[in-house]
Amino acid sequence: MRRQPVLLVIAHGSRDPRHAATVHALVRRVRSLRPGLRVETGFLDFNVPSVQGVLESLAAEGVRDVVALPLLLTRAFHAKADIPAVLRDAPRRLRIHQAEVLGPSPLLLSALERRLYEAGLTPADKSSTGVVLASAGSTDPEAIAVIADIAREWWHTGWCAVRPAFASASLPRTEDAVRELRELGCSTVAVAPYVLAPGFLPDRIARGAARADVLAEVLGPSPEVARVLLERYDAARTPMPAAVGA
């Protein structure tokens, strides 16, 4: 029986220790949902182990098949350039396939909504609540368009309004979107960070939410995010492609 591919979760990394702690908590949840699946974690920067180090260790063990899964919510520079570059330098004995990024996904919308309810909202508040969908931001037009599409889709589920905002690289900022929703007449304004782990940009989102009524937690190791990881893994592993660089 052919051994199932190793799942390598590729995180960006951060000087903020909360980032790596959250990534590891998410990976633990993935393992709990799929006992028997080997899940490894590698970081592009700041944290260890590095992606390259994990790939070399797997090759030395005799592993053949790997699904490399970017722990990213949008398909921007890291997914299009950084991660493929690292994978091209992997040991040639490895057969590697890069899975799709996590977003967009209905499960992530469910996670965002649950975070808002955990922060104090109820389903009865939906029609009177404006939501800021606050993401990290990107210079990639495709990534920005995806966030705008998610905001429109989420609004159609019954919120008073949903506005996208960005912590860097793009506009509007969180505080500007909060102000717009106030002017629109939404009786409650909530900020939903569309980010996976705490860090510098999520902290900027939180500061921008100072005049909002509700600030949700980051997505973190939520069960919905863990399920999306497994969905992306399953889609990528069948069929396994030829080795990267072959």
Side-chain angles (χ1 to χ4, degrees):
M1 181 176 175
R2 187 177 179 181
R3 190 174 300 175
Q4 61 184 336
V6 172
L7 170 55
L8 171 59
V9 176
I10 300 179
H12 182 273
S14 171
R15 292 186 178 90
D16 189 321
R18 296 174 297 168
H19 173 88
T22 302
V23 170
H24 291 309
L26 176 58
V27 168
R28 286 194 296 272
R29 187 177 286 273
V30 171
R31 291 184 181 124
S32 73
L33 292 176
R34 187 74 61 88
L37 172 62
R38 181 172 179 181
V39 187
E40 300 290 343
T41 308
F43 295 90
L44 291 173
D45 206 355
F46 302 116
N47 303 106
V48 292
S50 68
V51 176
Q52 187 65 29
V54 174
L55 292 170
E56 290 172 357
S57 295
L58 291 173
E61 289 178 32
V63 170
R64 291 287 288 164
D65 296 322
V66 177
V67 169
L69 195 155
L71 198 60
L72 301 168
L73 293 171
T74 57
R75 183 172 156 73
F77 182 78
H78 293 306
K80 294 177 178 179
D82 285 351
I83 292 174
V86 173
L87 298 182
R88 281 194 295 271
D89 290 335
R92 293 183 63 84
R93 67 168 285 115
L94 294 174
R95 288 190 292 259
I96 304 175
H97 185 48
Q98 182 177 329
E100 292 297 327
V101 297
L102 303 184
S105 167
L107 283 169
L108 295 178
L109 280 182
S110 296
L112 285 166
E113 202 150 304
R114 188 165 58 78
R115 288 296 192 222
L116 286 172
Y117 295 150
E118 289 170 351
L121 293 179
T122 70
D125 298 319
K126 248 184 148 174
S127 62
S128 60
T129 300
V131 179
V132 178
L133 179 68
S135 73
S138 173
T139 57
D140 188 303
E142 178 187 348
I144 297 304
V146 166
I147 299 300
D149 287 344
I150 292 170
R152 281 191 293 270
E153 179 183 347
W154 205 13
W155 170 59
H156 286 303
T157 67
W159 296 100
C160 172
V162 180
R163 294 290 185 271
F166 306 94
S168 68
S170 312
L171 296 173
R173 295 286 183 255
T174 302
E175 53 268 35
D176 299 326
V178 169
R179 183 167 52 252
E180 180 185 349
L181 291 172
R182 291 276 187 223
E183 293 170 352
L184 191 64
C186 298
S187 19
T188 302
V189 175
V191 174
Y194 190 57
V195 292
L196 288 167
F200 176 76
L201 292 179
D203 284 349
R204 181 179 287 177
I205 290 171
R207 291 193 296 273
R211 295 185 180 276
D213 302 297
V214 174
L215 171 63
E217 293 292 331
V218 300
L219 294 172
S222 65
E224 296 91 346
V225 176
R227 287 169 58 196
V228 175
L229 261 73
L230 290 172
E231 285 185 356
R232 299 292 185 257
Y233 169 81
D234 289 336
R237 74 188 183 105
T238 310
M240 285 299 297
V244 169

